[in-house]
Amino acid sequence: MPPLIDTTTDGHVHTRLCNHAVGEMEEYVEKAVQRGLAAIIFLEHLEAEIQYHSRSWLEKEEFDYYFREGMRLKQHYHGIIDVRLGVETGYNPVATSTLQEKLAQYPWDRIGLSCHFHCHKGVHLNLLSRNPISLKRLAAIGINLIVTGYFNALIEAIEIIDCDVLCHLDAVLRHYPGIEFNEDHRQQIELLLDGMQRKEVGLEINTSGFDYRGAPFPAPWIIKSAMERGIQLYAGSDAHQPEDVGRYFDQLPEYLKKIKR
Ligand SMILES: [Zn+2]
Ligand SMILES: [Zn+2]
């Protein structure tokens, strides 16, 4: 039996290039080597046509640097650790062709899929923000409506964007106190998993959740449902500082074994 998850690869790492993480690419690679990982996959933020007060993603200039520096690191660390260059694509339903054009510009080692923003009257609100003002605005629109929109976006995105893995599936409104999904949302999640199974898209077990809520994203029942469909699981720390690389990976085999039972 193959292991339930490969914990020698951190498949989701950011750097200072996204404007909301710290540390150079090489510092993350060094940390991964220290932690004894066999591979590190950078998964930098790509967005299209998002109207937001501060840019939390890379544009062409940063991506050009990302590939130059990434290629150097691949060579420099050859035989020590496998360095891969991926992307976390933030889905925007009204910018699908722009997203596809951007994705076609680089030779990604892995394409992750996420949805980070909700558009309201032409302005985008960050679904993963902890900012109280932002959370208040989202609540005013309606929490159920926001969550429904989020899962609908992902269901659509899986069909449109050619990707390898879906990131932090249930992280929507993760900072909203007492956030809960209703029966309709659960059905949406099952539909989403059906789409992932059909498209052979993997599910990320995002260990940043251990810091936010004591358990990874997504919730155990979602992981179980994915396992039953034979969906591949990928470990990702969602590191936004070098220290985060491979966080809690040692706990994953046991955690997943319990869920599978
Ligand atoms: Zn980020
Ligand atoms: Zn993300």
Side-chain angles (χ1 to χ4, degrees):
M1 269 268 289
L4 293 172
I5 198 160
D6 170 18
T7 52
T8 68
T9 297
D10 188 338
H12 191 159
V13 170
H14 296 279
T15 72
R16 63 151 179 97
L17 294 169
C18 69
N19 291 325
H20 63 277
V22 294
E24 297 293 332
M25 292 176 81
E26 188 155 11
E27 295 178 73
Y28 286 84
V29 176
E30 279 292 331
K31 187 54 79 177
V33 172
Q34 273 176 34
R35 299 259 149 98
L37 296 183
I40 178 171
I41 308 175
F42 290 99
L43 213 64
E44 280 289 22
H45 289 287
L46 175 99
E47 301 280 349
E49 297 171 31
I50 297 295
Q51 306 303 321
Y52 195 57
H53 56 81
S54 66
R55 180 156 62 85
S56 54
W57 57 89
L58 287 72
E59 291 293 357
K60 187 179 183 311
E61 198 182 319
E62 290 88 17
F63 273 122
D64 287 349
Y65 170 84
Y66 176 64
F67 272 90
R68 274 199 312 276
E69 176 64 358
M71 291 300 179
R72 182 187 76 79
L73 293 171
K74 269 180 195 265
Q75 286 188 350
H76 189 74
Y77 286 87
H78 182 78
I80 300 166
I81 188 167
D82 187 8
V83 177
R84 294 183 222 156
L85 305 170
V87 63
E88 181 179 3
T89 313
Y91 189 64
N92 179 354
V94 301
T96 55
S97 46
T98 314
L99 275 173
Q100 276 157 337
E101 277 163 31
K102 287 184 176 210
L103 285 172
Q105 281 169 13
Y106 299 97
W108 314 105
D109 291 322
R110 179 179 286 182
I111 297 180
L113 182 69
S114 297
C115 177
H116 293 119
F117 293 98
H118 178 92
C119 187
H120 184 65
K121 295 181 180 166
V123 176
H124 286 93
L125 295 165
N126 189 338
L127 295 166
L128 278 77
S129 167
R130 73 177 84 223
N131 181 328
I133 298 168
S134 171
L135 287 170
K136 224 172 145 181
R137 282 199 190 126
L138 288 162
I141 298 165
I143 294 300
N144 280 343
L145 204 121
I146 299 281
V147 174
T148 303
Y150 169 82
F151 286 122
N152 276 339
L154 288 178
I155 290 165
E156 181 184 296
I158 283 290
E159 302 301 323
I160 293 176
I161 305 289
D162 244 323
C163 61
D164 304 299
V165 59
L166 185 75
C167 302
H168 49 64
L169 185 147
D170 65 349
V172 59
L173 291 169
R174 64 184 173 189
H175 294 294
Y176 190 78
I179 179 71
E180 262 181 32
F181 300 148
N182 62 29
E183 191 45 44
D184 290 347
H185 301 142
R186 287 172 169 262
Q187 281 178 21
Q188 283 183 295
I189 292 169
E190 298 287 0
L191 266 177
L192 176 57
L193 291 170
D194 286 342
M196 290 165 65
Q197 181 184 27
R198 208 170 43 241
K199 292 275 195 173
E200 293 182 35
V201 174
L203 176 73
E204 178 186 70
I205 307 301
N206 187 306
T207 57
S208 74
F210 278 107
D211 282 333
Y212 292 120
R213 61 182 192 187
F217 300 109
W221 74 268
I222 300 173
I223 299 175
K224 191 174 172 71
S225 205
M227 283 171 164
E228 285 163 3
R229 287 172 171 82
I231 291 173
Q232 176 90 41
L233 307 180
Y234 294 106
S237 69
D238 213 343
H240 281 70
Q241 53 181 13
E243 188 53 34
D244 293 340
V245 171
R247 59 177 143 178
Y248 307 105
F249 278 20
D250 55 330
Q251 297 188 30
L252 283 184
E254 198 51 36
Y255 182 83
L256 294 174
K257 215 195 285 176
K258 276 192 195 138
I259 290 175
K260 194 165 191 272
R261 255 183 227 143

